Amino acid sequence: MKNFINISDLSKNELRSIIDNAKKRKSERGKKPNSEPDLNQSIQGKTMIMFFAKPSTRTRISFDLAVKQLGGSSIILNQDEIHYGKGDETIKDTAKVLSQYADILMIRTDSHKDIDEFKKHLEIPIINGLTNLSHPCQIMADILTFEESKGDIEGKTLAWLGDGNNVANSLIEAATKFKFELNIACPKKYQPNKKIIDAAKKNNCKLLITEDPYKAAKDADCIMTDKWISMSDKGDKKKKKKILQKYQVNKKIMKVAKSDAIFMHCLPASREEEVTSEIMDGKKSVVWLQAFNRIHAQKSIIEWCMK
Ligand code: CP
Ligand code: NVA
């Protein structure tokens, strides 16, 4: 079974083939409307079930379009519509049933452990559509977006400013595999997952973790950030926002990066918190392309899982 749960689960070659296939399929489609299928409908007659325990705009719609373009169909379910998540049916039983109804499952949930439990009992591939720990589909779309904007990512420098959250964790795993330098600036209290940092260091990832946003941003090819408060955050939000204030991406910090640096954000954004509108709507921002590329990266992830 080929599951797409964490970037670290795949080899460098597999990840590269997913990005290259996404580029090829995207260019072959040209300017076709989003709802029109590709010429090569590789998952015709197949069904994807999507389950969302948390809200989603991009993941939900881009996966739906991805499945349509590949010739398949999708069923989208929310937290209050099925038994899983409410504790009245085990993950094992849910997995056994879903395996008979569909050909692939995509799930967004609070607990990363639930995905691992699903994996144990499913007879179909599973894709991680965001957990408290990681957001690998987002980072694959971000690699695609970076390369469309600035060429091969290998050897380039990316800087992440702010909360060391699920998106940052997947970015660290990508830095190891795609061999780019990654500077992370965040307060000690909000560093990315320790196990993921340790694994990256063990695998010779060029990873800098600092509390100084200017040090991280210096000469970077790309500055990235995300909301200071994630959907799974349970602590004191006001306090967290105060601590993160000095990591805001604004004109002053963008000046420290390379003059042709780009700005990325997975969205949704809290404007004037982690990023100013001036940067988000400015010339260096590629945030809308990132959101669009979710369709193309995910088509390629689905194909990889189902081959
Ligand atoms: N970036 C992202 O995953 O967005 P949604 O929460 O809207 O799916
Ligand atoms: N870190 C954010 C990403 C949203 C796409 C969250 O988990 O809420």
Side-chain angles (χ1 to χ4, degrees):
M1 196 77 68
K2 279 156 96 188
N3 302 302
F4 192 79
I5 299 179
N6 283 309
I7 286 186
S8 58
D9 300 336
L10 279 76
S11 72
K12 189 186 169 195
N13 286 347
E14 286 174 307
L15 292 162
R16 174 46 62 196
S17 77
I18 290 173
I19 296 293
D20 290 348
N21 182 42
K23 286 180 185 168
K24 185 169 163 274
R25 272 199 171 267
K26 186 178 172 186
S27 107
E28 279 168 4
R29 265 189 81 78
K31 294 207 178 330
K32 266 191 183 187
N34 283 333
S35 57
E36 253 184 56
D38 286 352
L39 276 180
N40 169 12
Q41 294 175 40
S42 58
I43 64 161
Q44 216 172 30
K46 308 276 186 198
T47 304
M48 171 181 259
I49 291 180
M50 287 187 244
F51 172 73
F52 290 91
K54 299 197 271 196
S56 165
T57 302
R58 282 141 286 266
T59 306
R60 170 188 308 257
I61 299 167
S62 59
F63 261 111
D64 192 39
L65 290 171
V67 170
K68 278 199 178 84
Q69 291 184 9
L70 293 174
S73 58
S74 61
I75 299 170
I76 304 176
L77 302 162
N78 295 316
Q79 174 83 64
D80 55 351
E81 289 167 334
I82 65 168
H83 295 281
Y84 158 67
K86 294 199 283 283
D88 58 353
E89 187 169 41
T90 62
I91 289 179
K92 180 177 171 180
D93 294 352
T94 308
K96 279 180 174 283
V97 172
L98 296 185
S99 296
Q100 299 179 95
Y101 292 151
D103 303 282
I104 185 162
L105 175 67
M106 196 283 317
I107 177 163
R108 167 171 287 195
T109 181
D110 249 334
S111 165
H112 195 82
K113 285 188 189 127
D114 282 10
I115 293 221
D116 290 331
E117 178 70 5
F118 264 111
K119 183 178 93 173
K120 270 207 295 207
H121 303 291
L122 278 171
E123 285 154 39
I124 55 174
I126 184 167
I127 296 178
N128 172 1
L130 183 147
T131 67
N132 56 326
L133 183 71
S134 58
H135 196 4
C137 293
Q138 178 66 52
I139 291 302
M140 292 301 276
D142 294 350
I143 304 279
L144 174 61
T145 306
F146 181 94
E147 294 204 333
E148 283 182 350
S149 315
K150 305 225 60 77
D152 195 352
I153 199 164
E154 186 168 333
K156 300 282 196 320
T157 302
L158 279 73
W160 176 274
L161 309 189
D163 189 22
N165 63 14
N166 44 4
V167 182
N169 287 334
S170 291
L171 185 65
I172 295 175
E173 295 191 339
T176 306
K177 298 284 181 176
F178 287 94
K179 297 200 180 307
F180 55 85
E181 292 190 25
L182 179 59
N183 301 334
I184 295 188
C186 60
K188 277 221 166 69
K189 196 169 163 36
Y190 300 114
Q191 283 197 359
N193 181 276
K194 190 172 173 328
K195 274 193 193 152
I196 291 178
I197 294 175
D198 290 346
K201 286 186 176 157
K202 213 174 123 199
N203 287 306
N204 303 318
C205 177
K206 288 191 176 157
L207 176 64
L208 168 79
I209 312 254
T210 172
E211 286 182 81
D212 181 353
Y214 288 91
K215 193 171 169 193
K218 188 157 175 28
D219 296 330
D221 296 284
C222 171
I223 306 283
M224 292 175 85
T225 190
D226 186 12
K227 263 187 190 293
W228 289 337
I229 309 295
S230 278
M231 289 181 273
S232 58
D233 272 347
K234 286 179 185 75
D236 184 339
K237 295 178 182 157
K238 227 169 147 186
K239 195 171 148 203
K240 186 174 181 188
K241 284 186 184 180
K242 204 165 167 219
I243 296 173
L244 281 161
Q245 248 161 22
K246 74 167 184 175
Y247 299 92
Q248 184 192 64
V249 180
N250 50 35
K251 204 160 113 188
K252 201 169 151 210
I253 202 113
M254 284 303 292
K255 275 209 177 117
V256 178
K258 281 194 182 141
S259 57
D260 60 351
I262 54 172
F263 168 71
M264 296 216 272
H265 190 311
C266 64
L267 306 180
S270 294
R271 286 169 178 260
E272 317 314 330
E273 288 189 3
E274 76 275 6
V275 60
T276 59
S277 284
E278 187 180 15
I279 295 302
M280 191 154 135
D281 299 326
K283 281 199 195 103
K284 291 171 188 270
S285 170
V286 293
V287 300
W288 316 116
L289 182 60
Q290 280 176 271
F292 182 63
N293 276 339
R294 295 291 300 276
I295 305 171
H296 299 287
Q298 285 157 196
K299 277 165 74 178
S300 198
I301 292 168
I302 295 168
E303 280 201 309
W304 177 81
C305 286
M306 295 187 73
K307 244 179 210 158

